[in-house]
Amino acid sequence: MPQSTINLATAPGHQVMASAGKKILRPGGKAATEQLFQWAEFQPGEMVLELAASFGYSAIALAEQYGVRVVGIEKNPESVARARTNIQAAGLAEQVQVIEGDIFHLEQIPGQFDYVLAEAILTMQSASGKAKILQSIGDRLKPGGKFLSHELLAHNREAEIHQALAATLRANSTPLSEAHWIAACETAGLQVSQHQVGAMGLLNPARIIQNEGLVNAIKFFWNVLTRPQLRDRLLAIRRVFKQYEQELGYLILCAERN
């Protein structure tokens, strides 16, 4: 995300990290997502609905790696346009599409899917928002279809962590405990079959290198060092992550529609 497009003082934390050059913004990083996809057991030709598809990178990777067909939904029209350009460049226009739409109105997407994928999306919603989206996900899944989720975890002190994250991230970041994430899914008729939790390392230097690769990590660190406003904002976010590092983590889960 170009520096000129956002106000670094007020932008949500994920946009600030992206402005610094961070591409992997999921709390468990690449390894957690790869584990999630192993549980999915994708078969060529199956249909995947991806929520908040952004620039289409994960949809393209899914199609290339597993041979699935992907429909992404994305609210930002500029991101939709960029995603479509990326899909065309990858030669996947017959296999992947990203449409403009709202994750709160999944009923507007026709048909049902073998999988619905949501990564770092539900964390940003209120309790009622989580419930509404999860119910809609169940409606979009075929019977026996799988919901694949990768979210921020708060082992305890949920309300306190929500306040601290909201203040520093400038976003409604509302992570749940392991039990509460599972309960939210099951209330919506999504039976959790597999799940895993682990440490969250979004701004951990070693994890940044692991997830972004050495070249991209060097670019990220250089941007942080040479852009004072960006550096100040990221250091403030990292201080909160460090303050709650024993409580914060990630959760991935695979749940089937009842």
Side-chain angles (χ1 to χ4, degrees), residues 121-123 125-139 141 147 149 151-153 158 174-193 195 251 253-258:
I121 304 303
L122 293 173
T123 297
Q125 315 304 327
S126 65
S128 60
K130 289 177 172 68
K132 176 176 174 56
I133 294 169
L134 285 167
Q135 189 63 54
S136 296
I137 286 170
D139 293 340
L141 281 170
F147 170 49
S149 180
E151 297 293 345
L152 189 61
L153 178 76
E158 290 176 37
T174 314
L176 302 179
S177 68
E178 180 179 353
H180 286 159
W181 276 123
I182 292 172
C185 289
E186 295 186 345
T187 298
L190 299 166
Q191 188 68 37
V192 176
S193 57
H195 74 283
L251 175 139
L253 63 81
C254 177
E256 296 185 10
R257 177 187 165 186
N258 292 337

Side-chain angles (χ1 to χ4, degrees), residues 53-91:
S54 186
F55 301 146
Y57 295 132
S58 56
I60 290 168
L62 276 172
E64 289 178 336
Q65 187 170 355
Y66 299 102
V68 293
R69 302 176 66 84
V70 185
V71 175
I73 182 169
E74 170 56 47
K75 188 174 183 178
N76 186 312
E78 293 179 1
S79 296
V80 173
R82 184 166 166 182
R84 290 172 176 169
T85 298
N86 291 335
I87 291 164
Q88 288 284 349

Side-chain angles (χ1 to χ4, degrees), residues 109 132 207:
I109 301 175
K132 176 176 174 56
R207 185 77 71 85

